[in-house]
Amino acid sequence: MGNTVVVGAQWGDEGKAKITDLLATDADIIIRYQGGCNAGHTVVAEGKTYKFHLIPSGVLYKNKLCIISAGTVIYPTELKKEIDQLKTEGTNLEGLRIHPLASITMPWHIDIDGISEDKTAKTKIGTTKKGIGPTYADKVGRYGLKVEDLYDEEALNSKLDNILPLKNKILKEVYGLREYSKEEVLNLCEEYAEIFCPYVFWDWQEVLSEALKTGKKILFEGAQGVMLDIDWGTYPFVTSSNPIAGGAATGSGVGAKAIDEAIGVMKAYVTRVGEGPFISELEDETGKKIQTIGAEFGVTTGRARRCGWFDAVIAKYAALVSGLSGIALTKADVFDTFDEIKICTAYKDKRDGKIYRYYPTNVNTHKYLEPVYETHAGWKSDISNCQSYDELPQNAKKYFARLEELIGVKIKIISVGPNRNQTIILENPMN
Ligand code: GDP
Ligand code: IMO
Ligand code: MG
């Protein structure tokens, strides 16, 4: 128990922000370690709904450091909107820090994401069009800008002299998009420097070493989910970063040894936004029912989320690749009125009947796979006010126990509604 990573264990939107906000009570530092403003994180606190994209979901507490760390990509214009919105709502942003090594999304990244994803594009991923892929591509290609560059005139000038000629050629000749003059980009960079200025985490090494030495507690907030991970997800229908728990080690600058617990957040069913395989998807009335009761519409893009039964094959896979030490199971209350609930325990190949109990990573084969289900009786009662495990109906307990058995990881938190107090904590990973 101690420093904990909250990681999405499905295709995102599992309720990570609710769990992060909850565990943040016991944390001194909250670090968002990857992704960008593609994330949409909802926290309901004292009857008010907050939506975060880049700012860590622990920001509602005073006196905690909330770091947007080096593994993230930041589109300054969107970050400014988020900061302004939170300020208007009266949120104290004194603890907000932005890592000097975070990458910057430039307007051309947004332009390229937009055109690659427009209606005529042959292989759409269904991205959030926030420039995520193009920004990470430039970062990995050693062709990007970092927050610290904005405060170093010499470095910025030489980087832009290197970046702009080729970028403009690509924008114009490959994509038929507008070019950017150096003067225009320097002006933009000045604006960006002003946005970041009050928050840049220049003393991160002193602060984090001291925090580790003195036993301060760190909570790492993941965005997206394991199945959207660039290395481990349903590639190419993924995001461009590493949401898995290991991403917290590379993205936050404290090293893997500083992480004690990895809590995988899973809905009691599965959702997915955008394109890509989804074996337990329900394209029928049951899927619609889950979508309606679960209010499954995206926070960032407003798109309807595809819904399906809980998939224990991907849950087991997520447990492995993220080294999960516990599960936070969310949204079981969505099933309150259901007569029966199914769990996908394996996949069956329609061509030869072969059964897969472990996740087949080649997504090209997924079109041949169908879910193998087991059916459980519903609990047919309102669990949204249950405050303890004992108060849960027998059938709910049975369903949860079966999930634990299939995944091989303990459920440590059960969320039965969006509010902070609609949570049953069986074991707090932070203490
Ligand atoms: P995140 O991206 O993983 O942080 O999740 P989102 O915020 O995108 O989506 C989760 C949605 O479910 C939000 O609207 C939450 O307020 C809501 N939510 C979280 N936990 C529960 C729960 O246990 N029950 C219900 N009904 N809603 C929940
Ligand atoms: P949170 O943190 C759900 C999906 C997009 C698309 C794919 C690639 O709220 O769980 P991108 O814009 O990242 O290049 O899009 O990833 N996606 C998400 N789906 N929740 C998210 O974040 C997501 N962030 C990206 O829909 O399929
Ligand atoms: Mg979300």
Side-chain angles (χ1 to χ4, degrees), residues 41-173:
H41 292 177
T42 317
V43 173
V44 184
E46 277 128 34
K48 227 173 132 182
T49 301
Y50 298 84
K51 293 182 189 301
F52 304 111
H53 299 284
L54 259 163
I55 295 180
S57 303
V59 77
L60 297 177
Y61 300 93
K62 279 188 198 143
N63 308 323
K64 295 186 195 285
L65 273 190
C66 282
I67 305 163
I68 302 174
S69 201
T72 64
V73 294
I74 308 176
Y75 185 39
T77 317
E78 292 277 334
L79 179 68
K80 183 173 179 339
K81 269 195 223 157
E82 198 176 340
I83 289 173
D84 289 348
Q85 173 73 23
L86 283 169
K87 278 189 184 162
T88 313
E89 289 167 354
T91 307
N92 183 326
L93 295 181
E94 250 173 58
L96 180 65
R97 299 285 183 278
I98 297 170
H99 205 287
L101 291 174
S103 294
I104 304 177
T105 294
M106 297 300 287
W108 51 82
H109 295 131
I110 307 275
D111 298 344
I112 292 173
D113 200 6
I115 203 153
S116 311
E117 284 285 314
D118 79 2
K119 289 187 188 71
T120 56
K122 262 198 203 137
T123 46
K124 261 178 75 167
I125 304 291
T127 75
T128 58
K129 299 189 183 175
K130 300 291 184 188
I132 305 298
T135 312
Y136 275 114
D138 276 353
K139 167 184 158 171
V140 174
R142 296 157 293 190
Y143 217 59
L145 292 176
K146 303 240 171 198
V147 169
E148 64 182 11
D149 296 331
L150 301 175
Y151 306 93
D152 180 340
E153 208 180 320
E154 190 188 330
L156 185 61
N157 267 286
S158 94
K159 284 199 178 184
L160 288 179
D161 287 340
N162 180 37
I163 292 170
L164 281 177
L166 182 61
K167 190 56 76 181
N168 277 330
K169 205 168 154 61
I170 294 170
L171 285 169
K172 188 174 164 207
E173 292 177 18

Side-chain angles (χ1 to χ4, degrees), residues 333-349:
D333 54 293
V334 170
F335 285 147
D336 281 353
T337 59
F338 280 55
D339 293 323
E340 52 183 39
I341 299 160
K342 294 188 182 183
I343 303 175
C344 167
T345 56
Y347 306 146
K348 183 176 167 189
D349 195 317

Side-chain angles (χ1 to χ4, degrees), residues 9 19 261-267 310 315-316 319 324-330 400 403-415 424 426-427:
I19 303 301
E261 292 258 353
I263 296 297
V265 188
M266 304 180 182
K267 278 176 187 162
F310 189 92
K316 201 161 61 171
L324 298 183
S325 59
I327 293 167
L329 192 78
T330 62
F400 300 152
L403 293 183
E404 272 186 340
E405 185 180 37
L406 285 165
I407 305 163
V409 178
K410 202 169 167 201
I411 296 176
K412 295 193 174 174
I413 299 170
I414 300 170
S415 168
I424 302 167
L426 303 166
E427 197 180 306

